[in-house]
Amino acid sequence: MHPVIQVRNLSKCYRIGTRDRATRNFRESIMETLLSPLRNLKRIRNQTRFENGDTGLYYGNGTESDVIWALRGVSFDVQQGEVLGIIGRNGAGKSTLLKVLSRITEPTSGEAKIYGRIASLLEAGSGFHPDLTGRENIYLNGTILGMRKAEVNRKFDEIVDFSEIEKFLDTPVKYYSSGMYVRLAFAVAAHLESEILVVDEVLAVGDAAFQKKCLGKMGEVEKEGRTILFVSHNTGTVSSLCNQGLFLDNGEAIFKGMTRECIGHYLKSTASNDESHTVHLDKPTNAPIWMESITIICNSTPSDCLVAGEELSFKVTFQSEETLRSPKVTYIISSVDGVPLINASNRYQPSPDFPTSVSNGTVYCHLGSVPFMEGSYTVSFSLGDELRDWHIAENALTFRVFGNDVWGTGRLPKPNSSYFWHPTVFEPAI
């Protein structure tokens, strides 16, 4: 199957630090005119080096800090009917990528081949003429997509009904609120007959009910076999809507593949920037045994973030002044408002003893795939021996769970509706 989007070594660089020109007197204007040819020649030489792939360009003050790479060597394919979720931190290059694909911004180098008509919703009012009415902008956008008036007429009523702004249809869009802009812009982009739909984080402007309506419409667009590129910071929405993911970081494509794997790469990258997945503890006074460190492990990797359905473990390292046979570890997972949810300990659960008496070591607590709902949770630990707990660390660590379409239904439970999801057999009576 031929990809509908082919991106090869795509890069985009912007100049930064440009200052506004100050007002000049007559003498300064004459000098500027005389020096312009030399300055233009220097710019042309720099641009030639730039287009030949020399990243060590020097503008302005002679430093590379005058330029910023929004995209650098990005390559990927998108197949027809694919719903691609593009994720990454702020400044990762997501919006720039969509602007290049939508032909709003030219790339510095590389190429992006698009096979089919593309409708884009990048920012409130993008593609709208402010002095034209909502009605006129609908036909204008259809014309830009290469559609005939008869084609737009067939979709017109659906667009108006979906946008819910019929009362303001003949008002110039420059008088619209940001929410009205988004309503009409999404309705136009989703209903006109384009093969590719591009949607940026702009849906966050609308109210919750309209966001839900938009996500439902994108589900319908997917069933029609059209291709969708969707940027969002909401990993739960990306998980439920998209069948493929693209993770961008600092302008580079880090991973493209199945959505769940992509979100996992993204979350691990956010967690690796600090040591929030590990806490180092001091020895309590008069404690013969104590915890040195505790680490949260998600899917075999130290991280304080996990996607719903992934496996969770804790790693506890300890020291003891005297040898002991089997340290007793207890952990309690609570909600952020202090409600205890899980309590486990090898003091009363069957567990293997250490093979010999030890004075230091490591204990792993493997929880498996815990059915946590999206949210933040805290963990308290205690360590002791057969007699008592000698070291207690309350709320020692915090971890975050991100929503995920664990059932594969394309839907997510309402956030904050409970602490757990749980497999249940729903059997109709016959």
Side-chain angles (χ1 to χ4, degrees):
M1 182 183 296
H2 194 283
V4 295
I5 299 176
Q6 290 180 307
V7 176
R8 295 291 180 271
N9 296 317
L10 196 67
S11 296
K12 178 64 180 178
C13 190
Y14 292 101
R15 291 184 60 182
I16 60 175
T18 304
R19 296 181 180 178
D20 294 335
R21 293 172 179 263
T23 303
R24 297 186 298 269
N25 57 31
F26 181 76
R27 179 177 176 276
E28 291 170 335
S29 297
I30 292 295
M31 292 300 297
E32 175 68 17
T33 302
L34 293 175
L35 293 174
S36 287
L38 295 175
R39 289 174 178 163
N40 288 336
L41 179 61
K42 184 178 179 181
R43 291 192 187 101
I44 291 171
R45 287 176 176 171
N46 282 339
Q47 184 63 28
T48 301
R49 292 172 59 197
F50 186 78
E51 291 175 349
N52 288 335
D54 182 3
T55 61
L57 291 178
Y58 300 102
Y59 294 95
N61 297 326
T63 65
E64 193 179 7
S65 61
D66 292 321
V67 297
I68 183 171
W69 290 90
L71 297 172
R72 190 190 293 270
V74 174
S75 298
F76 63 92
D77 291 339
V78 180
Q79 304 295 331
Q80 180 179 349
E82 190 172 297
V83 183
L84 179 67
I86 304 174
I87 57 178
R89 288 185 286 266
N90 291 332
K94 305 184 297 296
S95 296
T96 300
L97 175 61
L98 295 192
K99 288 179 180 178
V100 172
L101 296 179
S102 301
R103 301 295 191 253
I104 294 173
T105 301
E106 290 187 1
T108 301
S109 62
E111 63 178 4
K113 295 181 179 179
I114 311 293
Y115 301 92
R117 293 185 294 194
I118 184 168
S120 302
L121 180 58
L122 303 183
E123 54 190 26
S126 59
F128 283 2
H129 192 292
D131 293 321
L132 298 181
T133 66
R135 183 188 304 273
E136 291 166 338
N137 271 293
I138 292 174
Y139 283 97
L140 174 63
N141 275 262
T143 303
I144 292 172
L145 286 174
M147 299 175 65
R148 297 180 179 179
K149 185 177 180 181
E151 293 179 276
V152 180
N153 285 338
R154 287 201 305 269
K155 296 287 185 177
F156 187 84
D157 290 341
E158 293 180 42
I159 293 172
V160 175
D161 289 342
F162 189 93
S163 65
E164 301 175 359
I165 60 165
E166 182 177 5
K167 182 178 179 181
F168 307 97
L169 196 59
D170 293 308
T171 301
V173 297
K174 64 183 178 182
Y175 299 117
Y176 284 12
S177 66
S178 59
M180 293 167 65
Y181 258 124
V182 169
R183 286 175 176 271
L184 184 60
F186 182 87
V188 170
H191 286 83
L192 293 184
E193 296 175 356
S194 60
E195 286 78 21
I196 303 168
L197 175 62
V198 175
V199 182
D200 204 344
E201 189 80 44
V202 66
L203 290 185
V205 176
D207 56 72
F210 188 72
Q211 289 180 35
K212 183 178 180 180
K213 188 176 181 180
C214 290
L215 294 174
K217 181 60 182 177
M218 283 195 281
E220 295 176 16
V221 170
E222 176 192 3
K223 292 177 182 177
E224 294 171 3
R226 294 156 67 185
T227 304
I228 302 176
L229 300 178
F230 179 58
V231 166
S232 177
H233 287 97
N234 189 324
T235 55
T237 301
V238 171
S239 174
S240 63
L241 180 67
C242 305
N243 49 39
Q244 289 282 299
L246 174 66
F247 169 34
L248 295 179
D249 191 27
N250 292 322
E252 298 182 2
I254 304 301
F255 178 86
K256 182 182 184 295
M258 297 301 294
T259 307
R260 181 168 176 173
E261 293 181 62
C262 186
I263 293 175
H265 281 272
Y266 166 59
L267 297 181
K268 288 170 186 174
S269 75
T270 61
S272 61
N273 291 334
D274 52 43
E275 292 296 322
S276 56
H277 50 70
T278 299
V279 60
H280 299 277
L281 303 171
D282 296 326
K283 176 183 179 298
T285 304
N286 300 324
I289 180 173
W290 67 95
M291 294 175 284
E292 279 196 318
S293 67
I294 309 168
T295 300
I296 302 177
I297 301 175
C298 302
N299 267 14
S300 304
T301 302
S303 173
D304 62 346
C305 301
L306 71 152
V307 177
E310 290 186 334
E311 295 189 349
L312 178 64
S313 299
F314 303 120
K315 174 186 174 182
V316 180
T317 62
F318 67 90
Q319 291 282 347
S320 176
E321 293 178 347
E322 301 175 358
T323 59
L324 70 161
R325 181 162 181 78
S326 185
K328 302 304 178 183
V329 178
T330 301
Y331 69 85
I332 300 175
I333 301 179
S334 304
S335 64
V336 289
D337 52 0
V339 178
L341 304 175
I342 295 176
N343 184 328
S345 175
N346 64 341
R347 176 171 278 114
Y348 51 81
Q349 289 183 222
S351 61
D353 284 340
F354 278 75
T356 58
S357 295
V358 294
S359 58
N360 63 77
T362 300
V363 178
Y364 285 92
C365 310
H366 298 294
L367 285 72
S369 178
V370 183
F372 282 119
M373 292 283 283
E374 182 168 338
S376 295
Y377 301 86
T378 64
V379 195
S380 298
F381 291 86
S382 61
L383 176 70
D385 53 24
E386 295 290 352
L387 300 176
R388 55 169 287 188
D389 288 330
W390 293 100
H391 189 185
I392 298 174
E394 294 187 356
N395 299 324
L397 286 167
T398 300
F399 65 94
R400 175 82 185 275
V401 177
F402 290 84
N404 183 34
D405 181 16
V406 293
W407 308 119
T409 61
R411 301 180 183 88
L412 291 175
K414 292 177 61 177
N416 303 320
S417 57
S418 66
Y419 296 120
F420 300 104
W421 52 268
H422 193 76
T424 303
V425 176
F426 295 91
E427 184 177 1
I430 299 176

